[in-house]
Amino acid sequence: MKTFYGRANPTTGALDWVEESEEYDYHQEIARSCYADMLHDHDRNKKYYEGIRAAVTRVKARGEKVIVLDIGTGTGLLSMMAVTAGADFCYAVEVFKPMAEAAQCIVEKNGFSDKIKIINKHSTDVTVGPDGDMQVKANVLITELFDTELIGEGALPSYEHAHQNLMQDRCEAVPHRATVYAQLVESELLWSWAQLQPVEVEGARLVPPPAVGRCAGAHAVCDIQLSQVSPASFTPLGPVCTMFTVDFSKPVSSAFQAHSSQFVAQSSGRAQVVLSWWDLDMDPSGSIVCTMAPSWTYQEPKMWRDHWMQSVYFLPVESQVTEGEELSLMVCHDDYSLWYSLQRTSCEKLQRGSQTEAPPSRPCCTCQAHLVWTRPRFGELNDRRRTESYISALRSVKDSVCLSVSDGSLLPVFAHMLGAKKVRRFHLTDTLLEIRLEQLTSNDVGGEQISVLMGEPYFSTSLLPWHSLFFWYCRTALAGLLRPNASILPRAASLHMVAVEFQDLWRIRAPCGTCEGFDVTPMDEMVQRSLDFHESREAEPHPLWEYPCRALTQSTAAMTFDFTQCLPQQPISTQGSLSFIREGRCHGVALWMEYHLTDDITVSAGLTGPINEQGDCEWSRHRKQGVYFFGSPWEISGDGRAAVSYSFTFEPSLGDIRMDFTVTSQ
């Protein structure tokens, strides 16, 4: 059965009605789910397997049958591990129906259907009894309910319910315990993602409104690959603190809790940011540990996982601390989220371990800016080099009539400070000219024609780099209001590409086949079926600064879009090829936009510097780039005899770019 869906087109700004299968949403969910990343995480799998063996052994040593409850079973991998380790029976709970069906196939394929029962329910709906989902309560609890923040996927309520309703009193749990760590740091880079900084414009200082400076910001965690943030980018103000632990083998509470850790400041600086991660102890002794710590905290070998990263929390208020000062870092959590605060402590209270104040409430945005701008957007607006490029390009706006088309942009303010006679701005989400773009008249811009049309361009609805071409649609709709010699900023944009070898990101799309000795090909087949849906075969957005890759070709501008001209009626097509110049395994193509503000000023939303001899790339932290994954990787010799051929077609009527890539060899 097919259904019509209304879908906002981020490039054209129009509401498109499209006919899709009723299964479209869940196919998209599966295609982008990155299930394979967890199965490719050998360290995680190995530690879980060791912990499960130990738990089964402890229960058998008590003379009991081993009954396992596996919550969030996914593929059924952990249940199969438990049966292999000697468990008598497993109840494997999975709420997502397609995944539960795949788990059933995997369990049958591996010959465990007599020992594992797949239950397609939320764990809080599972019943126990002769007519229930479970015949008896379990004595081993296995879960993988964690996210980067540990508790963000509802782990605490699920554990709480399981202990109250589904588990025996003396039960074992794998993992047995989680420990949350945190470190207070000063970091100009990370703090730029939380608060708007002053800007210098032609000798004048533009300062954010007091309401923005006083705002505690958004409470949501900032989850990133902290291993890709160089230790040179921050100054530790204290040691790594143990904030709290959760023992999963005992009843767990999802109620509000506060924990504090006292320490002496090891250096002076501005307390701005808390870096946080957690470890899992798979057994009571703590001898089997799966750590989420960033790679710069331990020696080789380095581990990579994308399903669990690290957390960055921004303190509600920036404050100065002095080396030797006694401090208390407090973390509070409810059932789904954490937040941090910093307190001063006296020597006496430090010795007693007392808290100096009542636990703070969860911070919330009061200035509205944190509701409009994302963390990367704050960083983009605080990028001094980028800002100077726009200011340089705008120096000719004196006595002009300007219209800005971008979301949450500071360009109108810059234009005003540079002497523009009139400035108006049109936003998709924060419309100061509160009418549709095509309905604008000269009266809306003071009865004069527009002499400068400007945009970064940035739109909050954009997902892929080329969605910013919405600026071109706006420029075309406004053609009747522009002076004949009007300046368009940026003058043009270009779509760039480079073929790459990913260090680790390839894992999210690679089939698993066999995982820890178990055949999980039904999951691979499920994912492939979802990837075969048309939208799932396109490029997908990723912040490549978090995912190292090597360029195997030169980068090139594959398409150019001339904003000084109106949008063409006919499709724009281009094709070409790039020779491979480095040896490696090509996983796909990275794509990004560059904006040509003037003939000699360009701002890149992708590569921020030249590719070095080894092929290492430096990417913008402000915007996501597009990644087109090949169905399977290509082994490249780097002798110049192989090339990646490409073709792009921009369909103005659809606002979409169709692309195709083929690796060829001579």
Side-chain angles (χ1 to χ4, degrees), residues 141-166:
L141 177 58
I142 301 174
T143 64
E144 207 280 53
L145 301 172
F146 314 114
D147 70 345
T148 295
E149 204 172 13
L150 182 68
I151 65 173
E153 291 186 358
L156 295 181
S158 295
Y159 272 109
E160 186 175 43
H161 176 271
H163 277 289
Q164 291 174 354
N165 300 279
L166 308 176

Side-chain angles (χ1 to χ4, degrees), residues 22 29 154 166 174 197 216 252 282 302 323 341 522 568 588 590 624 637:
E22 62 180 2
E29 175 69 19
L166 308 176
V174 182
Q197 306 300 314
V252 171
M282 296 297 181
K302 305 299 183 186
E323 182 178 358
S341 62
K624 292 182 179 181
S637 63

Side-chain angles (χ1 to χ4, degrees), residues 146 152 160 172 174-175 217 238 242 323 334 354 370 373 430 452 464 467 501 536 544 594 604 614 624 630 654:
F146 314 114
E160 186 175 43
E172 302 289 341
V174 182
T242 300
E323 182 178 358
D334 52 21
S354 303
H370 299 88
W373 294 328
D430 180 18
V452 177
L464 289 162
H467 289 168
E501 174 188 53
S536 300
L544 292 187
E594 294 190 2
S604 174
Q614 291 72 41
K624 292 182 179 181
F630 294 152
L654 301 177

